[in-house]
Amino acid sequence: MTSFVGRRRELSEARQSLTRTRLLTLTGAGGLGKTRLALRLASEVKRSFPDGTWVVDLSPVEDSELLARTVVTALRIDRTSALPPMAALIAHLAESRSLLVLDNCEHLRDACAALTRALLAAAPDLQVVATSRQALGVDGECLLTVPPLSAPDPQCPPPLASMARYDTVQLFVERASAVVGGFRLTEEDRPAVAGICHRLDGVPLAIELAAAWLRVLSPRQILFYLNDRFGLLDRGCRVAPPRQQTLRAAIDWSYDLCTPQEQCGWARLSAFCGEFDLEAAEAVCVDDELDRRQILDVVSQLVDKSVLIRNGGHDTVRYRILETIRQYGRARLHQDSEETVVRRRHRDYYQELLARAESDWFSARQDAWFATLRREFANIRTALEFCLTAPQESHAGLQLASSLWSHGLIAGGMDEARHWLGQALTLETGPSTARVKALWMDGWLAFLRGDTVVGRDRLAECQALAGRLGDAQSLAHAVEFGGLAALFENDFPAAAPLLEEALDRHRVTGDLWAQWTALFLLALTHCLTRDPRAAPMAQQCLALSETHDAPLARSYALWLLGLQHWLHGENRQAITRLRDGLRLTRSGCDLLGSAQCLEVLAWATAQEGDSEHAATLLGAAQTAWQSVGAALPGLGHLLHHHTECENRLRNALGDTAYDEAVRAGIELTRSQASDYALGSIAIAASNGTSEPAHTPLTRRERQVVELLAQGLTDRQIAAKLVISPRTAEGHVQRMLAKLGFTSRTQAATWALKESRLWHDSCAEDSQPGR
């Protein structure tokens, strides 16, 4: 009764699977549209089954003894036969070429597995498509996990014209227009609709239920009320099966199919946000009720039942729980009065992880810690939220927030790090070494952000509290903080002795990373004052980072050496050093290091006379500074050079050309900016696009889309390329899915625009039949 939206990739994979398996099971969480996908698949392949395509809805069947009889009825087999139902089925299907769709098998899993096994053994030309929240476990079974529909990023929603590329948006708009005649997505509603689709995890059932509320609410109001998503999404089609009428009913169905241990695991795993691994699951779930040996089995069963989604990693498997399913589990955890205990275990695990990262930071594992903490940042946020909202957890929150120092600049940006530190410092005011640490951290970030008033306030309290506590490490950081403040305020005579003292204090405490930072700041001070000690000290920074194989520290040392060369007019040497430093920032997510390298590269390139290149680099640096949340470009003394560079380039290029080149740099992604700075790609300043253009299409798919642009049908494309019509259809469907298009017309329009960029590549692969 309603249109079928999206699922091109899944349909293509399902059709291909049916060419190599006799049993295909579509698995996934409740509400993801497994039934709709199975019905669409059956409709598309029915010509391949001359004896019929049969659909059996098993959701009303409670007794497994009635399974075979239900299938007999669906296949319209004569029920007056004296044969038992199973024998009648075998007799009817033995010689037929049929497709049997068994829909909603999860609550009759064992019985469905036995029936399917028997039918496939007795009927060699029979194929079965099953839908289930759990695999049937039959030999030869092929699984296709039905994922959520694609949803836009609510933090940066695409332009209005591109919103329809997302299946969730298309579904919402189509269902909304059925509820409110003439509904059209507008620029005003665009952010709210993106937020709705994202918040609902791309779950079709949830999106349809949300769209139904447009009778009485606007998209913005729906997004607001989704804070209570189970309360809002409680109205569905009254003639649908009960478990599909509301979101809660759909998830209740899954929960009731779990064993008590699996239900307990589901509730406890709801403490996680985003991905987690088995080690984390054990740390959070294990207690007297669930021991460590049981966790692997529980996680395995929850993956099988589509409660958890398995994501493969380079060295370990990780798991993800959809937000809707997570909220359901969190409610169960609250009902069982376990929420505080479980979330405290979750907090402890990530606090210990951060402590390990901090102690091991100045080492060859810096990149590995980058990757780990970036993966875990959603869970770190969740732990912080718990500490700063739950009673008697504020001190733990202060410790957790102050552990974000090195990677806080990288993973979440300065503004987020300051957000957590500010809250923690407000809630936990007692004297402690954790407070000293949080004060100098927040003060350091304030100076980087250009907020010198707050920075000075933090410095005064940090120095007073460190002196009161008398802790050696706290005193060392307080002295270094004083030197940093003087450096940011261009008071170099005060900065140098303070940083020298801090370096000596850090050597006594044995903190290698703190030693390196003090040495770096001291070298930078000498560099900016043209002190002859700057070059050897910068080399010492580089040598220390290389000795400990710490890539982050090495990139900053190379930036410092590049700055030193540039200040002395040695542009080529500066560019070499800065490019080396930029290469090191690409492997992690060091936004600050990337911004610094791009900025000084622009200055050096401008002095070399390549004005357009330099202006584009300046635009790329501007985006990087904005991403990290720092005051451009950090130190006030360096801001003077930025202004000089900008004036030089405007005079050389003129205002219009300068603005176009800067805009081209601003529009680059971080990866593109690095490639451009390193000479890997060129930029067309007029439109900000990189050359050569890259597409995700294979050469054969490029040929297909070029012919499609000429108006050819699938059959005509097949004739041109000497391939089968079915193969041509598969190429078209995969091409549409890769490009994110919903129609052949969109693909044809795109092909006409892009044809000049890859025409030569298509011509190289013009041999028929490849």
Side-chain angles (χ1 to χ4, degrees), residues 76 204-205 240 262 346 368 485 563 568 572 639 674 681 741 762:
R76 303 172 191 165
L205 173 62
E262 292 161 5
H346 175 273
L563 178 64
H568 286 80
R572 299 314 305 165
L639 184 59
S674 294
I681 61 172
F741 293 150
C762 290

Side-chain angles (χ1 to χ4, degrees), residues 40 85 91 184 191 220 227 231 256 314 317 321 347 353 391 474 487 496 540 565 582 592 613 618 668 708 759:
R40 182 71 168 198
R184 295 289 183 273
R220 288 185 180 182
N227 289 321
D256 292 340
H314 295 296
V317 171
I321 184 167
R347 186 272 319 283
L353 181 72
S474 296
L487 176 59
Q540 189 180 347
H565 282 301
L582 187 62
L592 181 60
H613 188 186
L618 214 56
L668 295 176
L708 186 149
H759 177 77

